[in-house]
Amino acid sequence: MSVERTLTILKPDCVRKGLIGEVTKRIQEAGFHIVAMKMMHLSSTTAGGFYEVHRERPFFGELCDFMSSGPCVPMVLEKENAVADFRTFIGATNPAEAEAGTIRADFADSVGENIIHGSDSVENGKIESNYFFAESEIVANKG
Ligand code: CMP
């Protein structure tokens, strides 16, 4: 297994619920190293650019409204097998289908407001990390 990077976003519902600390603690306890992190309030256009692949989906407008409804916290995480392990760690997109003990099962209200994002492939992890962070903003961190 090789060391990979994945992009996560603690979404506006995570921030509103005061869960930045709890979710970040769980991320670190699960062995993911935070190598970049910032708080941002996305515009609807910036959110739409990030979710470009979903532009034709019926929920796209709702998704952009939600993702621009308050601040969020994008992070780049590093770990062996980070992409697949993080998807397992956060649980299914629909929290009703997420395994017990996952972030979405524990904290998310609905498929639209599901607390956290995780890249779905190594390639998208790179593309998505580049969407929020310059290479110079990504640091070495084993903590
Ligand atoms: P995420 O993993 O960030 O990637 C795409 C997002 O689209 C997904 O989480 C959900 O928040 C959102 N999404 C997917 N399906 C639906 C849906 N049926 N209705 C509303 N939002 C959705």
Side-chain angles (χ1 to χ4, degrees):
M1 261 187 279
S2 58
V3 173
E4 297 171 355
R5 284 179 181 168
T6 191
L7 186 281
T8 186
I9 307 174
L10 310 188
K11 297 185 179 184
D13 53 339
C14 183
V15 176
R16 266 196 291 276
K17 289 177 173 179
L19 290 171
I20 296 174
E22 174 64 25
V23 173
T24 303
K25 176 169 157 276
R26 290 203 196 186
I27 288 171
Q28 292 183 294
E29 284 175 352
F32 296 90
H33 305 293
I34 300 168
V35 296
M37 180 178 191
K38 63 173 82 164
M39 182 176 261
M40 306 171 76
H41 191 147
L42 304 181
S43 66
S44 183
T45 303
T46 305
F50 180 77
Y51 283 115
E52 186 63 42
V53 66
H54 296 302
R55 188 168 292 275
E56 303 307 324
R57 308 284 282 272
F59 57 82
F60 182 73
E62 191 186 316
L63 178 60
C64 293
D65 286 348
F66 167 61
M67 289 303 293
S68 59
S69 66
C72 66
V73 181
M75 298 182 199
V76 181
L77 306 174
E78 206 168 73
K79 182 185 166 301
E80 275 197 3
N81 205 42
V83 171
D85 285 359
F86 196 72
R87 302 271 294 181
T88 302
F89 169 75
I90 64 178
T93 304
N94 184 347
E97 294 163 8
E99 264 196 55
T102 61
I103 298 292
R104 284 167 169 162
D106 286 353
F107 301 122
D109 291 333
S110 66
V111 66
E113 304 205 3
N114 64 357
I115 294 283
I116 194 161
H117 170 80
S119 306
D120 64 1
S121 67
V122 172
E123 181 60 20
N124 280 338
K126 285 183 189 145
I127 293 168
E128 293 180 356
S129 295
N130 290 340
Y131 194 79
F132 289 114
F133 298 96
E135 196 56 39
S136 59
E137 294 178 294
I138 300 177
V139 301
N141 174 31
K142 295 290 173 212

